[in-house]
Amino acid sequence: MTELNDFQEALLQGIPTELPPAAIYDKAVSHAPKRKSVLTLAEEKLAIRNALRYFPQKWHGVLGKEFLDELRQYGRIYMYRFRPTYKMFARPINEYPAKCLQAASIMLMIQNNLDPDVAQHPYELITYGGNGAVFQNWAQYLLTMKFLSMMSNDQTLHIYSGHPMGLFPSSPFAPRVVVTNGMMIPNYSKPDDLERFNALGVTQYGQMTAGSYMYIGPQGIVHGTTITVINAFRKHLPSHETIAGKVFLTSGLGGMSGAQPKAGNIAGCITVCAEVNPVAAQKRYEQGWVDVLIRDMESLIDRVRTAISNQEVIAIAYVGNIVDVWEQFDREDIKITVGSDQTSLHNPWSGGYYPAGLSFEESNDWIAHKPNEFKLMVQESLVRHAAAINRHVAKGTYFFDYGNAFLLECSRAGADVMSANGIDFKYPSYVQDILGPMCFDYGFGPFRWVCTSGKSSDLETTDQIALKVLSDIKTSSSEEISLQMEDNIKWIKEAKQNKLVVGSQARILYTDALGRMKIAMAFNEAVRDGRLTAEVVLGRDHHDVSGTDSPYRETSNIYDGSSFTADMAIHNVIGDSFRGATWVSIHNGGGVGWGEVINGGFGLLLDGTEATEDKIRQMLFFDVNNGIARRAWARNKEAKSALATELARTPTFKVTESVLVDDNLIQQLFNA
């Protein structure tokens, strides 16, 4: 690098030496809702003291007053004044001022997570899910980018819930960054604790891929949603019926939920997706992720009836409340074949769920000024929501929980969602019915990559490489996984024409351990021989085979009682970190809520070297087979089969295998 441009100089500077001008609040941007006020006067003083420690004392008078205003007006201190003026997006990797490529790749991924085209509330550093944060404030962003620009291959940056603690000496084989988000002493991990400690500026909700810098826009979930929707229809429809002209009703277009309409179109159904935030709905429409925007119920009814009659493949976004749609479709007797929900119910009281009967604006006002009344409205709405779903199910709808804590919060609100035994929910989660037995237990999970050149031509090259690898593997794969292989080959063949890219040049693909390793090896070789013009970042969603312990989602199909333990996710992040990951992360919360899940992930830069081949072999093998071994130990039939295949293929892989117990023996013991 010869001459630094303004962007590069700004990254190297970190916190500016001159106090920037105060920020002007831009109402055209989708902002996070005001968080409820939870701090005592003494705690407010502590929050200000915590925020000011990033800055020289000469600024404390000005910033102290400003930060107190932010805290009381928005419920958090975002430090808007320090939001960079340069455009936020993932630049080609060679434009980052870094001493090592690994650090540059992480800078690229951080900026992608904060790109306004990608992030849900970019000014509040929220990537998705209403509160899935990359950092707590802009000072943390500035300092992290500065540390990364200074980093060598002998240092590791440790991030505590967005706060960059510092660069510590390590080694070239160590991760360049270790991230923790929301890790709490267990007795202080309830939702109100998050509100309090986040307001104090000492922790954050990193969701899954937000605070780990691995979010790639709604595409990241499109593939998983497509698999889920296709198989939901397959499970439910008689063999003589097709998906054509059938309705899939759901809600949410804000972050990851925005994938649903695109997934519905790829699956081939009529998708109706309700979203209360008009800015979010408009954004998805402009990005081409929904085909039609409708703002009144009468027009929606007419359009859906026309779509059914013509057997259209169409994604309709309704700007309004989902409860109203379920209820009105019931009254109008519109057949819903498959239904679900992706409102952010991990965050029910602070903007994750907007109740029927309140407008979007009224809800945001109540969140800030009438939090107790708002909570009651949410609970009443959930009861109505579930009741309407129940009526549709009685007419033949297949409903599944999408792991967003919908049934969990419905049950807590007193809705009729419990089965006859009073323990289980009456509806399955998508993991219990579909993804668990069909994908996770075989090691299939959301493998993803980002082309750091920023060139679409490189992405096309990776698509072709992945297609060839999968096609080759399929010739010798077992019958058990033939359907998964076919679905993924079709996916990668059609990926370009489905226009999935938002933000960085990224792709997602579900594949197993063998597929992930072979594809990664092929990408690394293509970087080395120049078919790819720059390095590739490899990663995955935390929502995967091994990365997440979550009893109401990822591990909901584990029935040996261990679904409430978190050993797998912890072992995964530790194991990945010493097997070659470029960065690793472990989070409390994500998808189903704070205190409800522990999840971890990684990033790995493929730079074309032989050393990276060792990392691919060691890390990707463990990253998948750790989860298969655990699922097989839980006696999951499909995982036991996948484990047997891997044990036969890898002589150095040895595990403790579970022995099945005769059900009659157990029954006889308790009848004696």
Side-chain angles (χ1 to χ4, degrees):
M1 187 175 300
T2 53
E3 187 174 343
L4 297 176
N5 58 34
D6 291 346
F7 163 71
Q8 292 163 338
E9 287 183 347
L11 289 192
L12 289 167
Q13 186 179 49
I15 291 177
T17 54
E18 300 292 329
L19 186 63
I24 297 172
Y25 193 81
D26 186 350
K27 293 183 178 179
V29 173
S30 176
H31 287 282
K34 180 185 183 307
R35 312 302 184 185
K36 64 182 179 182
S37 301
V38 294
L39 300 185
T40 64
L41 183 60
E43 289 171 335
E44 282 188 336
K45 293 177 181 176
L46 180 58
I48 300 302
R49 190 182 297 274
N50 288 345
L52 290 176
R53 60 185 158 178
Y54 288 103
F55 305 101
Q57 286 187 346
K58 63 182 180 181
W59 296 351
H60 286 187
V62 173
L63 294 182
K65 181 178 183 306
E66 185 172 302
F67 290 167
L68 180 58
D69 287 343
E70 279 193 27
L71 182 63
R72 290 181 171 171
Q73 188 167 355
Y74 307 115
R76 298 290 186 273
I77 301 171
Y78 299 112
M79 306 179 184
Y80 288 118
R81 179 192 289 261
F82 293 93
R83 189 177 65 80
T85 54
Y86 52 74
K87 192 174 180 183
M88 190 71 70
F89 68 101
R91 291 162 171 77
I93 193 168
N94 60 6
E95 293 188 15
Y96 289 93
K99 294 179 179 176
C100 70
L101 276 173
Q102 293 184 339
S105 72
I106 298 168
M107 297 163 88
L108 181 157
M109 294 300 292
I110 287 173
Q111 289 211 297
N112 190 59
N113 273 29
L114 294 172
D115 181 341
D117 285 339
V118 174
Q120 184 180 15
H121 305 305
Y123 283 30
E124 288 78 30
L125 303 107
I126 303 294
T127 303
Y128 68 91
N131 60 353
V134 187
F135 299 99
Q136 298 177 62
N137 57 59
W138 286 105
Q140 293 177 345
Y141 165 82
L142 295 174
L143 287 171
T144 297
M145 298 301 270
K146 180 179 181 180
F147 277 129
L148 288 169
S149 68
M150 300 163 57
M151 171 186 284
S152 73
N153 282 325
D154 294 308
Q155 292 172 304
T156 293
L157 175 62
H158 289 261
I159 305 274
Y160 286 29
S161 286
H163 170 68
M165 189 57 71
L167 289 174
F168 291 74
S170 60
S171 74
F173 203 78
R176 296 280 68 80
V177 175
V178 174
V179 179
T180 56
N181 280 304
M183 301 308 293
M184 302 296 292
I185 303 301
N187 277 347
Y188 298 86
S189 192
K190 297 181 175 59
D192 283 347
D193 294 322
L194 168 62
E195 298 292 337
R196 179 177 167 223
F197 291 107
N198 190 212
L200 283 173
V202 295
T203 194
Q204 71 173 5
Y205 196 83
Q207 267 284 2
M208 291 189 154
T209 50
S212 62
Y213 326 141
M214 193 46 73
Y215 190 67
I216 58 170
Q219 179 189 180
I221 196 174
V222 167
H223 189 30
T225 308
T226 302
I227 289 174
T228 303
V229 171
I230 286 175
N231 284 295
F233 279 102
R234 282 174 178 161
K235 285 176 68 72
H236 182 66
L237 289 174
S239 58
H240 63 278
E241 288 193 36
T242 71
I243 196 171
K246 306 296 191 301
V247 174
F248 167 46
L249 176 60
T250 185
S251 61
L253 289 171
M256 298 181 80
S257 55
Q260 296 176 104
K262 177 72 81 175
N265 276 0
I266 295 171
C269 63
I270 300 163
T271 303
V272 179
C273 189
E275 169 59 57
V276 294
N277 183 346
V279 174
Q282 183 69 30
K283 180 176 172 180
R284 294 302 178 212
Y285 176 68
E286 291 173 357
Q287 291 174 338
W289 291 68
V290 296
D291 302 312
V292 181
L293 275 181
I294 295 179
R295 293 179 170 80
D296 68 278
M297 186 63 73
E298 186 177 348
S299 298
L300 177 65
I301 298 290
D302 289 344
R303 188 66 187 87
V304 171
R305 284 195 165 126
T306 300
I308 293 172
S309 175
N310 296 334
Q311 294 197 339
E312 295 178 59
V313 176
I314 188 170
I316 302 170
Y318 173 67
V319 184
N321 196 284
I322 182 62
V323 180
D324 296 334
V325 181
W326 280 103
E327 291 179 341
Q328 192 63 26
F329 277 26
D330 177 41
R331 287 190 285 269
E332 298 284 344
D333 204 24
I334 291 180
K335 169 75 174 177
I336 300 167
T337 303
V338 171
S340 191
D341 184 90
Q342 275 202 39
T343 49
S344 298
L345 272 159
H346 64 277
N347 180 32
W349 324 128
S350 296
Y353 183 91
Y354 286 79
L358 285 182
S359 69
F360 180 62
E361 293 75 17
E362 288 171 330
S363 290
N364 285 333
D365 182 65
W366 281 39
I367 290 169
H369 302 107
K370 300 179 182 178
N372 294 330
E373 292 91 336
F374 182 76
K375 182 176 180 177
L376 287 174
M377 282 290 287
V378 168
Q379 290 178 320
E380 289 172 7
S381 183
L382 285 169
V383 171
R384 278 177 56 186
H385 199 156
I389 290 169
N390 291 343
R391 291 195 292 276
H392 280 277
V393 170
K395 297 178 185 178
T397 298
Y398 171 72
F399 182 85
F400 63 91
D401 184 289
Y402 212 99
N404 57 335
F406 176 75
L407 292 177
L408 182 64
E409 289 302 334
C410 280
S411 67
R412 289 169 176 169
D416 178 18
V417 294
M418 303 306 294
S419 64
N421 66 13
I423 299 171
D424 302 316
F425 298 128
K426 63 169 62 176
Y427 304 119
S429 80
Y430 72 116
V431 172
Q432 287 176 302
D433 249 19
I434 301 168
L435 276 192
M438 297 180 69
C439 292
F440 290 166
D441 285 353
Y442 288 114
F444 283 79
F447 180 69
R448 59 182 57 179
W449 61 88
V450 174
C451 296
T452 66
S453 65
K455 296 178 180 176
S456 58
S457 57
D458 272 358
L459 185 61
E460 289 178 34
T461 299
T462 59
D463 286 348
Q464 292 305 313
I465 291 172
L467 174 60
K468 182 176 188 312
V469 170
L470 286 189
S471 299
D472 289 347
I473 293 175
K474 186 177 182 302
T475 60
S476 58
S477 60
S478 70
E479 184 63 28
E480 286 177 294
I481 60 171
S482 62
L483 194 59
Q484 291 89 328
M485 295 299 295
E486 288 170 11
D487 284 345
N488 282 287
I489 288 171
K490 180 176 185 293
W491 165 267
I492 201 69
K493 276 182 180 174
E494 298 175 354
K496 181 184 175 185
Q497 72 186 55
N498 284 325
K499 298 178 181 176
L500 299 161
V501 170
V502 176
S504 60
Q505 292 295 321
R507 185 70 75 223
I508 186 169
L509 179 70
Y510 268 54
T511 185
D512 60 5
L514 182 65
R516 297 184 206 205
M517 287 190 288
K518 283 184 174 290
I519 290 171
M521 285 291 191
F523 287 173
N524 198 52
E525 184 180 342
V527 172
R528 183 165 56 235
D529 66 23
R531 281 176 290 152
L532 292 172
T533 64
E535 295 75 14
V536 173
V537 168
L538 204 71
R540 60 166 171 75
D541 195 341
H542 296 194
H543 171 66
D544 196 8
V545 182
S546 308
T548 297
D549 281 298
S550 177
Y552 296 106
R553 203 165 78 173
E554 284 80 358
T555 46
S556 60
N557 74 320
I558 289 180
Y559 303 105
D560 69 348
S562 71
S563 59
F564 291 90
T565 66
D567 297 294
M568 180 176 71
I570 298 297
H571 275 275
N572 218 67
V573 74
I574 293 172
D576 284 355
S577 69
F578 64 77
R579 287 181 170 87
T582 304
W583 73 97
V584 292
S585 60
I586 186 77
H587 302 183
N588 170 16
V592 291
W594 181 263
E596 305 283 0
V597 49
I598 299 293
N599 61 92
F602 74 88
L604 173 63
L605 184 68
L606 305 181
D607 58 3
T609 64
E610 291 184 7
T612 295
E613 291 182 2
D614 286 339
K615 295 175 181 179
I616 291 169
R617 275 189 286 268
Q618 291 186 40
M619 202 204 73
L620 293 186
F621 179 91
F622 172 78
D623 189 66
V624 176
N625 283 297
N626 174 43
I628 289 177
R630 184 267 176 99
R631 291 167 186 274
W633 180 242
R635 300 183 286 269
N636 287 19
K637 183 182 70 172
E638 294 82 4
K640 286 177 76 69
S641 174
L643 179 65
T645 300
E646 196 59 70
L647 288 170
R649 191 160 51 203
T650 311
T652 55
F653 183 37
K654 309 290 183 186
V655 302
T656 309
E657 295 188 64
S658 61
V659 177
L660 297 181
V661 179
D662 189 334
D663 289 342
N664 292 328
L665 173 69
I666 300 296
Q667 194 63 38
Q668 288 168 10
L669 283 173
F670 288 88
N671 287 339

